[in-house]
Amino acid sequence: MKKSVLTRYRVMAYVTGVLLVLLTLGVIAKYILDMNGAADFTKIIGIAHGWLYVIYLVFAFDLGSKAKWPVGKQLWVLIAGTIPTAAFFVERKVSKELESKVAETVPAGARA
């Protein structure tokens, strides 16, 4: 597996995770704290998270298929982008697991 497959998954996991945390804070500000401007913030962040989550799904599915994960594990990684902060923990676990597989596929002369 190429390192770029893991890298693009990791980037989208962080982007999706950060946007979901911001969205959660926006929803709290809008509905619980009744703050001015929270509705617009929530709308913008919600749209951004929704579109970028679709990209996250594509990259996570690509990673899972190349890593030959079972369906249950792949579903957990795909769903992690919908649970606040879960994307961070799942990304860390996936990265630790797959870094050795990525390192094995790099030719010996290309290692730094």
Side-chain angles (χ1 to χ4, degrees):
M1 174 180 15
K2 292 183 180 180
K3 184 175 175 116
S4 63
V5 175
L6 180 58
T7 301
R8 66 184 184 190
Y9 160 75
R10 292 182 72 189
V11 168
M12 287 311 300
Y14 277 106
V15 168
T16 303
V18 167
L19 287 175
L20 189 55
V21 168
L22 289 174
L23 181 60
T24 303
L25 293 173
V27 168
I28 291 169
K30 179 180 175 181
Y31 292 107
I32 296 175
L33 303 176
D34 197 26
M35 294 177 68
N36 290 336
D40 292 334
F41 177 81
T42 303
K43 181 179 178 182
I44 292 167
I45 296 297
I47 291 170
H49 172 71
W51 282 104
L52 292 171
Y53 178 67
V54 172
I55 297 169
Y56 168 82
L57 288 175
V58 171
F59 288 167
F61 182 79
D62 183 42
L63 178 70
S65 63
K66 289 181 178 164
K68 296 179 174 62
W69 287 337
V71 173
K73 181 173 185 170
Q74 191 148 8
L75 284 175
W76 172 239
V77 173
L78 294 173
I79 291 170
T82 64
I83 303 168
T85 70
F88 302 119
F89 296 108
V90 172
E91 179 276 327
R92 194 69 237 141
K93 184 176 179 182
V94 165
S95 293
K96 283 183 181 179
E97 174 190 323
L98 294 180
E99 281 176 349
S100 62
K101 289 184 180 181
V102 170
E104 291 172 1
T105 60
V106 176
R111 293 184 184 161

